[in-house]
């Protein structure tokens, strides 16, 4: 009950300080407000970005392998030597598909960049084309809204069929079902067999709204196996529960044997793990959080000095009251906790204003852009705890000085 009464009195004094000295108190609390706003805004933005990335990668297995001529990350092999590595062939994809155990899905892909897709009346510019095998729809978690993905027969024959993203469909066929319609790509006529579900803006790579999938064998028939303008890769998803190291070793061994490499020869291909990409994303997210904390620390430091200033002034203004409280039997710890609680309450008020600003920005951003900016309960809790800690640290010296005042001197000084 004593501490509840202390808390009540501290709240009264804190609100009284805001009421009687509005400008001074608001300016002093501004540092805490800016500090809490900065750190929570950064944390919320990073968390929202992380959530968006995880949502986009949902359904993709961390154990996936991208077998390619090039490494997706740093490599100890010199670049000039990598450029001499042979490009992957469709025959190698077919060989791995038939001879490597533990494969769940496998796809032969090309990286061909972007180009334009035309319908009879419209043109979709800069569309990222992904030539792939039919299994890639499962590997990349492609969700179809209308129609279907191309099948194994269409893939094997290199049929001129295409699956387009939502924005591509809206551009080429506004207010019309695109399935069954024809488009022109690479100077050829393609039949639209499917439309991908709307995804929205992407925080990782390019949104599926502005991509198109075609059979990789169509590109092989068009350009052959030795075109320098396209880069092939084999994407493999192992069976769930299969030992990853054993699986990688098996793929490496089979491909080395197929290419006739000697035991002394280095691998002339790279097995890029999808888990490495997610690890890289985690590093970026962690770095952004650290940068946010460092930047916000300066604002929080200024805010702490502001709270300390308010409390020292409050001690001076209430010296007479402190003397009377002590003369009536108030213990030192009573006075100490009274001022500590007041400092914490003031700091939390500043923090709440900062959190309110972050929430308002989150609402506005979510309304005007497709990026979902979310202020989570966890971040709100972090902001409040951080504000309370700043108040506690900033108020400790003023509270100690108040608790050590001599009652007689305090009353005489306050008169």
């Amino acid at each position: 009950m004593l501490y509840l009464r202390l808390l009540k009195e501290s709240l009264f004094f804190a609100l009284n300080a805001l009421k009687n000295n509005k400008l001074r108190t608001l300016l002093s609390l501004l540092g805490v407000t800016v500090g809490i706003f900065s750190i929570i805004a950064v944390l919320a933005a990073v968390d929202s970005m992380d959530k968006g990335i995880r949502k986009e990668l949902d359904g993709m297995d961390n154990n996936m392998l991208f077998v390619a001529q090039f490494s997706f990350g740093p490599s100890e092999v010199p670049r000039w030597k990598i450029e001499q590595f042979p490009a992957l062939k469709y025959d190698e994809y077919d060989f791995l598909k038939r001879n490597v155990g533990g494969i769940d899905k496998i796809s032969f892909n090309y990286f061909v960049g972007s180009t334009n897709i035309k319908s009879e009346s419209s043109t979709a510019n800069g569309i990222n084309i992904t030539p792939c095998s039919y299994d890639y729809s499962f590997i990349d978690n492609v969700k179809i809204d209308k129609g279907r993905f191309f099948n194994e027969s269409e893939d094997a024959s290199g049929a001129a069929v295409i699956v387009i993203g939502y924005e591509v469909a809206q551009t080429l066929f506004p207010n019309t079902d695109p399935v069954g319609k024809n488009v022109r790509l690479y100077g050829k006529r393609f039949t639209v067999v499917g439309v991908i579900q709307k995804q929205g803006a992407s925080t990782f790579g390019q949104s599926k709204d502005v991509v198109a999938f075609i059979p990789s064998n169509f590109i092989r028939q068009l350009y052959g196996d030795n075109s320098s303008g396209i880069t092939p890769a084999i994407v493999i998803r192992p069976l769930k529960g299969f030992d990853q190291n054993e699986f990688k070793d098996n793929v490496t061994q089979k491909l080395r044997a197929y290419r006739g490499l000697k035991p002394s020869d280095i691998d002339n291909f790279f097995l890029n793990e999808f888990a490495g990409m997610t690890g890289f994303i985690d590093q970026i997210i962690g770095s952004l959080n650290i940068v946010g904390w460092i930047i916000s620390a300066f604002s929080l430091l200024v805010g702490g000095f502001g709270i300390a200033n308010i409390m020292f002034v409050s001690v001076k203004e209430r010296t007479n009251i402190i003397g009377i409280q002590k003369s009536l039997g108030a213990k030192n710890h009573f006075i100490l906790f009274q001022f500590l609680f007041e400092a914490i309450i003031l700091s939390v008020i500043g923090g709440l204003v900062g959190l309110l600003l972050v929430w308002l920005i989150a609402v506005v951003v979510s309304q005007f852009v497709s990026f979902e900016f979310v202020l989570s309960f966890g971040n709100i809790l972090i902001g409040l705890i951080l504000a309370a800690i700043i108040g506690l640290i900033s108020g400790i010296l003023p509270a100690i000085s108040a608790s050590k005042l001599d009652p007689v001197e305090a009353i005489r000084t306050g008169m």
Side-chain angles (χ1 to χ4, degrees):
M1 293 299 293
L2 175 64
Y3 289 106
L4 286 175
R5 192 178 73 183
L6 269 173
L7 189 60
K8 180 181 178 181
E9 290 183 1
S10 300
L11 178 60
F12 169 77
F13 283 123
L15 294 177
N16 194 53
L18 282 170
K19 179 181 177 181
N20 296 334
N21 303 285
K22 298 181 181 66
L23 183 61
R24 184 189 72 189
T25 306
L26 287 174
L27 289 175
S28 299
L29 292 181
L30 188 60
V32 174
T33 298
V34 172
I36 296 299
F37 169 80
S38 301
I39 184 60
I40 300 304
V42 171
L43 290 177
V46 172
D47 284 353
S48 299
M49 183 175 65
D50 186 38
K51 181 181 177 181
I53 292 173
R54 304 298 172 193
K55 184 178 179 181
E56 290 171 31
L57 300 182
D58 182 38
M60 299 183 73
D61 197 327
N62 278 347
N63 294 327
M64 280 196 310
L65 297 178
F66 292 79
V67 187
Q69 178 184 354
F70 300 99
S71 173
F72 291 173
S75 172
E76 297 179 356
V77 183
R79 185 168 183 81
W80 63 267
K81 195 171 187 67
I82 293 175
E83 291 175 349
Q84 295 177 351
F85 288 174
L88 289 163
K89 299 290 192 295
Y90 186 85
D91 291 344
E92 293 173 325
Y93 152 78
D94 191 53
F95 172 78
L96 293 177
K97 184 178 181 180
R98 289 185 287 105
N99 292 279
V100 174
I103 291 179
D104 181 24
K105 304 293 180 183
I106 184 169
S107 175
F108 188 73
N109 287 27
Y110 285 110
F111 297 100
V112 296
S114 60
T115 188
N116 298 337
I117 303 177
K118 297 181 180 181
S119 64
E120 290 184 1
S121 58
S122 303
T123 300
N125 299 310
I127 305 305
N128 185 39
I129 308 299
T130 303
C132 58
S133 304
Y134 73 99
D135 264 355
Y136 192 68
S137 63
F138 303 103
I139 296 174
D140 195 25
N141 195 30
V142 179
K143 297 177 181 178
I144 301 297
D145 180 38
K146 297 177 181 178
R148 58 179 176 82
F149 206 80
F150 52 82
N151 56 40
E152 185 175 7
S153 174
E154 292 165 333
D155 172 29
S157 64
V161 292
I162 187 170
V163 179
I164 58 177
Y166 178 84
E167 291 295 335
V168 182
Q170 291 297 306
T171 300
L172 297 177
F173 305 99
N175 304 318
T176 306
D177 187 356
V179 177
K181 302 291 194 303
N182 293 324
V183 297
R184 293 195 68 83
L185 175 67
Y186 299 123
K188 306 291 183 179
R189 187 174 66 178
F190 281 75
T191 301
V192 178
V193 295
V195 178
I196 304 168
Q197 283 184 12
K198 184 178 181 180
Q199 177 184 345
S202 173
T203 50
F204 179 72
Q206 191 173 36
S207 170
K208 288 188 177 69
D209 292 345
V210 289
V211 302
F213 296 95
I214 62 174
S216 54
N217 274 320
F218 178 88
I219 295 296
R220 287 184 64 228
Q221 294 171 6
L222 188 64
Y223 295 112
D225 283 326
N226 299 308
S227 175
S228 58
I230 55 178
T231 303
I234 300 172
V235 188
I236 309 174
R237 187 176 76 182
L239 291 168
K240 289 189 179 297
F242 207 87
D243 185 83
Q244 179 73 353
N245 291 327
E246 180 184 343
F247 184 75
K248 287 169 56 182
D249 291 343
N250 196 10
V251 172
T252 301
Q253 179 186 357
K254 295 293 185 182
L255 193 51
R256 282 180 62 88
Y258 188 86
R259 290 190 166 187
L261 295 177
K262 299 177 183 177
S264 58
D265 295 335
I266 65 169
D267 296 338
N268 57 2
F269 55 88
F270 289 94
L271 265 64
N272 301 282
E273 292 187 79
F274 185 74
M277 298 182 193
T278 56
F280 179 67
I281 294 169
D282 290 338
Q283 289 179 5
I284 294 175
I285 297 297
S287 299
L288 289 174
N289 279 326
I290 291 172
V291 170
W293 278 100
I294 292 173
I295 293 173
S296 304
F298 293 102
S299 296
L300 292 172
L301 183 63
V302 174
F305 284 123
I307 296 296
N309 177 63
I310 294 175
M311 297 313 300
F312 274 119
V313 172
S314 183
V315 171
K316 185 174 179 62
E317 290 178 343
R318 285 155 47 194
T319 301
N320 185 43
I321 297 175
I322 295 170
I324 295 172
Q325 286 178 319
K326 284 200 164 190
S327 66
L328 294 175
K331 303 295 184 182
N332 285 353
H333 70 270
F334 180 90
I335 305 297
L336 176 72
F337 283 127
Q338 186 181 62
F339 279 89
L340 273 182
F341 286 159
E342 184 177 342
I344 292 171
I345 290 168
L346 284 170
S347 186
V348 169
I349 290 172
L352 285 171
V353 175
L355 289 171
L356 177 62
L357 291 175
V358 177
W359 178 78
L360 290 173
I361 289 176
V363 172
V364 172
V365 169
S366 299
Q367 288 291 327
F368 288 96
V369 299
S370 56
F371 177 74
E372 187 180 1
F373 192 97
V374 179
L375 178 60
S376 67
F377 175 77
N379 284 332
I380 293 174
L381 193 61
I382 289 174
L384 292 176
I385 292 174
L386 197 57
I389 291 173
I390 294 299
L392 178 65
I393 296 173
S394 303
I396 190 70
L397 288 179
I400 290 174
S401 68
S403 67
K404 289 184 176 180
L405 287 175
D406 180 82
V408 176
E409 289 295 327
I411 295 173
R412 183 183 298 124
T413 302
M415 293 178 65

